[in-house]
């Protein structure tokens, strides 16, 4: 396209199709740029709240024997500080940055599931409000941000504080899971044509690893939160030793999430470092493949370290040795990245602009934090400093040095892209140095405080223990750091009005986001590029003008749809055209009703909670209805021009990948439940099981046979549609639905007739939860299948539109699989093993 009028018309149509609604209608926006910025702005608000709580704690500890605040408020302050920083700031802000950048980096117009992004944001917002409201109501949790049992149980925390934490955090974790699934599928399946895995920007590798770690790392905490809330609200004794539970199960499940979370936070920040250093060094990253390998190794090893948080709880010495070695091993892939960064700096011509100040600060602080991490991996040393301020200092060196400093570098680097203006060099430098100096005064001295024996989480301390001057200086350093952060935030706000206008690609970077307008249009690219190298902008400086002139692909908008390429996961070659949803109120309605569900549970209004479940299901099922071959998503008859079909005409589009990634997350939660079952069976000191299992084996077997028949019947219809044959599909789907209903009724009968003492025995409580887990999946499978049958009747599923059953089939397979595994491990294995002694 070369005609100027045609180009202007194309841009006008793209803006019309992709624009957010005006006014309050912007709440229905699903565009990745809007949602990503909302995540980041909301996260920064929570960061300010968390910072004020930290200053409150430091003020109380500045001098010995102070009583500026009550011990109850102090416990709430340090609990909420950790909760806000870990759950409401660090991960959401990094997810928001990834959502904003990833489509621009991979040459796509949007993320592949825009409504999921919007749902994730509103779940995060409402979950954060629920958690923070407890602080303003004076009932905030006070058991620590890790909520160890039994301290967080009804006995020691009888108020609603723990419930606010458990329900709010579960809500926020759902948001994180949504982002993890969204980012994984988007990176793998919607890259620009020609962008192979080896040509992806290095930042995308880091985000892909982070997203997959979220998928596998967050379900254990979601399970633990559900179990603890059931114990508090319904009396199911999962963590009560007297009833066969074990409080250490909470620690295992929490740190199965908690230690990967450290690297979930670190990896995106390291991705910023690996992106910026080559730009300001003026040369490609040294050892790209080595960095990719180290990212993968870091992700794998991080899941084998959780017990090093539990060296003092009495685990066997062999386990201590194993986890000690694993904790030191993770330093190897991290060191690879550090040496790659140093080599790139050494071999390039470094330009010390403002973002590079924060990068250099990161290198100094993070290396120091890594060294103290290796020290803590040594069991004898860990025993000496466990639960002291040394651990607090180490954690802040790793997380603040490893996340906050690169985040600030990234914000300054990408700020011209967002606003079209440059930040102030002078104010930015003052902000950096105050933050850097204040941080080191605060936490370097805290190492010494810990070595002198000061415990963490204490309200006050006696004078004359050698901690007085160290605590005073640490508090002074905290206020210096706060002043630096305030200057940075002031700079970020002021530059929108006073910053000089940025030129196109002001840093002379090599990645695709810098070919866009500043700020970018909601569709990113007028036409999509074909990628032939890892540094497309360095190799083709005129790429932006060519894409703006419509010389790339998908330079058409006559159909009025939001579209981007679906590409092969390895080669990046186009395989389908993904039709993306436009502005929608459904995510806000779904998140709002789920928030009402949480509030109903907090207030103990369980009847209203059931009503909220139904109300939440309505927008979610309406959401699923407007997909695939539905007329609002894609035309039923018109074929798109070109070689690639619309996603709804294929059998292996990104939606199927989204289902599989979701099931991997669900499977991780199920494996966590199995872990809990076997842990209590083998480690709980008062675990007891009846001589005969309370669940009917024959009833479960009959229910499983019905489920298997339903699954096979559905599979037959999916295969038939994949062969482009739709004869008999409608009847087959209704038959699968009927068999599924019979399976559900038989499973309910087994549960109803089982003599389960769910409030007296952890054994029975776990079995009850397991059956509920199976029922949830079975009911969902049946409802989805009934909807598929109805859509087939309306013509939304057919030989011409075979896609949706291919998406649903993995769910049926998974539901059937976990049922038979549960029968074997929860019912048959204990019977074969024999009763507990």
């Amino acid at each position: 396209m070369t005609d100027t009028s045609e180009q202007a018309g194309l841009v006008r149509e793209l803006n019309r199709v992709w624009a957010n609604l005006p006014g309050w209608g912007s709440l229905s926006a699903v565009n990745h740029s809007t949602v990503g910025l909302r995540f980041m702005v909301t996260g920064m608000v929570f960061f300010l709240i968390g910072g004020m709580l930290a200053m409150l704690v430091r003020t109380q500890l500045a001098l010995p024997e102070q009583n500026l605040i009550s011990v109850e408020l102090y416990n709430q302050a340090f609990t909420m500080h950790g909760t806000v920083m870990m759950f409401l700031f660090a991960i959401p802000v990094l997810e928001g940055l990834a959502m904003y950048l990833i489509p621009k980096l991979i040459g796509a117009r949007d993320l592949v599931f825009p409504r999921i992004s919007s749902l994730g944001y509103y779940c995060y917002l409402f979950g954060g409000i629920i958690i923070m409201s407890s602080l303003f109501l004076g009932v905030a949790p006070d058991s620590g941000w890790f909520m160890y049992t039994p301290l967080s149980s009804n006995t020691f925390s009888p108020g609603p504080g723990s419930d606010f934490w458990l329900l709010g955090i579960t809500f926020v974790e759902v948001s994180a899971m949504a982002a993890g699934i969204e980012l994984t599928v988007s990176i793998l399946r919607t890259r620009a044509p020609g962008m192979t895995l080896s040509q992806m920007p290095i930042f995308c590798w880091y985000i892909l690893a982070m997203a997959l770690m979220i998928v596998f790392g967050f379900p254990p905490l979601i399970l633990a939160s559900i179990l603890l809330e059931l114990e508090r609200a319904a009396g199911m004794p999962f963590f009560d030793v007297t009833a066969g539970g074990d409080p250490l199960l909470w620690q295992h499940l929490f740190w199965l999430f908690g230690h990967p979370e450290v690297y979930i936070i670190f990896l995106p920040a390291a991705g910023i470092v690996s992106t910026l250093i080559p730009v300001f060094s003026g040369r490609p990253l040294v050892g790209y493949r080595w960095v990719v390998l180290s990212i993968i190794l870091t992700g794998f090893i991080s899941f084998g370290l959780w017990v090093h948080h539990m060296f003092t709880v009495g685990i066997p010495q062999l386990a201590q040795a194993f986890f000690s070695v694993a904790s030191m091993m993770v330093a190897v892939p991290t060191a690879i990245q550090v040496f790659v960064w140093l080599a790139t700096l050494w071999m390039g011509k470094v330009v010390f602009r403002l973002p590079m100040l924060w990068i250099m600060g990161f290198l100094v602080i993070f290396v120091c934090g890594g060294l103290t991490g290796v020290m803590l991996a040594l069991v004898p040393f860990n025993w000496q400093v466990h639960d002291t301020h040394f651990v607090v200092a180490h954690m802040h060196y790793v997380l603040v040095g490893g996340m906050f400093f690169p985040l600030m570098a990234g914000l300054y680097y990408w700020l011209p892209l967002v606003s079209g203006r440059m930040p102030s060099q002078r104010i930015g430098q003052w902000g950096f140095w105050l933050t850097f100096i204040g941080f080191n005064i605060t936490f370097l001295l805290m190492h010494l405080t810990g070595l002198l024996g000061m415990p963490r989480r204490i309200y006050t301390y006696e004078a004359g223990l050698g901690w007085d001057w160290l605590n005073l200086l640490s508090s002074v350093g905290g206020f210096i750091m706060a002043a630096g952060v305030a200057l940075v935030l002031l700079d970020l706000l002021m530059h929108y009005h006073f910053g000089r206008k940025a030129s196109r690609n002001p840093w002379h970077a090599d990645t695709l986001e810098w070919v866009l307008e500043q700020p970018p249009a909601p569709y990113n690219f007028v036409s999509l590029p074909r990628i032939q190298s890892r540094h497309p902008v360095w190799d083709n400086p005129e790429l932006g003008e060519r894409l703006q002139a419509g010389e790339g692909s998908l330079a058409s908008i006559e159909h009025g749809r939001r579209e981007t390429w679906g590409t092969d996961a390895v080669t990046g070659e186009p395989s389908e055209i993904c039709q993306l949803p436009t502005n929608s109120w459904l995510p806000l309605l779904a998140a709002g009703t789920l928030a009402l569900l949480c509030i109903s549970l907090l207030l103990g209004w369980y009847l209203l909670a059931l009503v909220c479940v139904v109300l939440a299901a309505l927008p979610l099922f309406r959401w699923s209805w407007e997909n695939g071959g539905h007329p609002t998503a894609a035309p039923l008859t018109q074929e798109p021009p070109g070689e690639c079909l619309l996603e709804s005409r294929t059998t292996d589009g990104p939606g199927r990948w989204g289902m599989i990634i979701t099931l991997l997350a669900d499977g991780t939660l199920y494996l966590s439940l199995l872990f809990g079952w076997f842990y209590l069976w083998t480690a709980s000191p008062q675990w007891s099981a009846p001589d005969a299992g309370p669940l009917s084996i024959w009833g479960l077997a009959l229910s499983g046979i019905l489920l298997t028949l339903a699954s096979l019947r559905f599979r037959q219809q999916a295969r038939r549609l994949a062969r482009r044959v739709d004869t008999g599909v409608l009847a087959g789907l209704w038959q699968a639905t009927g068999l599924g209903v019979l399976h559900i009724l038989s499973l309910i009968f087994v549960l109803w007739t089982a003599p389960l003492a769910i409030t007296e025995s952890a054994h029975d409580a776990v079995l009850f939860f397991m059956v509920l887990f199976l029922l949830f999946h079975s009911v969902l499978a049946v409802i989805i299948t009934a909807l598929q049958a109805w859509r087939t009747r309306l013509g939304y599923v057919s030989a011409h539109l075979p896609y949706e059953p291919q998406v649903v089939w993995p769910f049926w397979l998974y539901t059937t699989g976990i049922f038979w595994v549960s029968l074997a491990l929860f019912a048959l294995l204990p019977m074969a093993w024999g009763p507990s002694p």
Side-chain angles (χ1 to χ4, degrees), residues 84-169:
V84 168
M85 292 303 194
M86 297 297 286
F87 295 104
L88 301 182
F89 165 62
I91 290 178
V93 165
L94 292 170
E95 286 178 338
L97 182 66
M99 287 181 178
Y100 184 85
L101 288 174
I102 286 300
K104 299 172 176 63
L105 284 163
I106 62 176
R109 286 189 171 135
D110 205 341
L111 293 169
V112 71
F113 308 127
R115 288 180 295 191
I116 288 183
S117 301
S118 181
L119 175 68
Y121 171 72
Y122 286 119
C123 287
Y124 161 55
L125 176 65
F126 294 148
I129 291 173
I130 288 171
I131 296 169
M132 295 311 303
S133 65
S134 67
L135 186 63
F136 297 106
L137 293 172
V139 292
D142 57 3
S143 305
W145 68 275
F146 33 76
M147 294 295 289
Y148 280 173
T149 56
L151 189 60
S152 58
S153 65
N154 276 327
T155 303
F156 298 99
S157 296
S162 295
D163 302 303
F164 273 93
W165 192 97
L166 293 167
L167 293 169
I169 288 300

Side-chain angles (χ1 to χ4, degrees), residues 736-754:
T737 301
L739 289 168
V741 170
L742 292 176
H743 152 71
I744 291 169
L745 293 175
S746 62
L747 188 56
I748 291 174
F749 179 78
V750 168
L751 183 62
W752 186 265
T753 57

Side-chain angles (χ1 to χ4, degrees), residues 596-618:
L596 289 176
L597 170 63
C598 289
I599 295 171
S600 302
L601 293 173
L602 279 171
L603 297 174
W605 298 347
Y606 298 117
L607 183 59
L608 178 60
L610 288 175
V611 173
C612 290
V613 169
V614 176
L615 292 177
L618 295 178

